[in-house]
Amino acid sequence: MPWTHSLFVTLVRGAGFAAVVEFWTRQWRMALIGGAVVVSHWLFDLVIHLRDLTLAGGVPKLGFGLWNHPTVERRFEISRALGERLSLGVKRHAQRAENERCPR
């Protein structure tokens, strides 16, 4: 992968996204979560990819190569997607309960 997929550039992108979110919403917690989501993509890629990710565009090349094990890789991806969906559902349920308790 080119330097555009390095951890360094991902951290810069995450910080940039967090800055934009904070600027628009004035909510630093939401900004941190947004930045963390951007960086988490690189961490998931690290697990899935072969040794083609870098820290700053050069060596060492990193990757655990779960691609080589399709059954395990599929289970990982499905579990991650279900976890994200469950997290979103729990948050929405909590927001609805709060809105019913304290209507605006």
Side-chain angles (χ1 to χ4, degrees):
M1 288 280 162
W3 64 273
T4 57
H5 287 73
S6 69
L7 178 59
F8 174 74
V9 172
T10 301
L11 290 170
V12 170
R13 286 180 181 157
F17 185 72
V20 169
V21 170
E22 203 284 326
F23 177 77
W24 279 347
T25 66
R26 299 290 183 216
Q27 295 182 22
W28 64 270
R29 286 187 181 129
M30 186 182 297
L32 287 177
I33 291 169
V37 167
V38 171
V39 174
S40 73
H41 180 86
W42 190 89
L43 297 172
F44 285 123
D45 278 353
L46 177 66
V47 174
I48 302 295
H49 279 245
L50 302 173
R51 292 183 179 265
D52 61 356
L53 299 172
T54 66
L55 296 176
V59 291
K61 302 279 186 173
L62 306 170
F64 301 147
L66 210 55
W67 265 345
N68 292 332
H69 309 282
T71 303
V72 177
E73 189 270 338
R74 269 189 232 112
R75 288 180 182 161
F76 176 80
E77 292 283 358
I78 290 169
S79 298
R80 182 182 60 84
L82 289 175
E84 291 169 357
R85 180 66 183 120
L86 178 63
S87 173
L88 181 61
V90 167
K91 182 176 179 174
R92 284 187 178 166
H93 179 72
Q95 287 174 338
R96 284 184 189 135
E98 180 68 24
N99 290 340
E100 289 174 5
R101 224 174 355 136
C102 303
R104 293 181 183 180

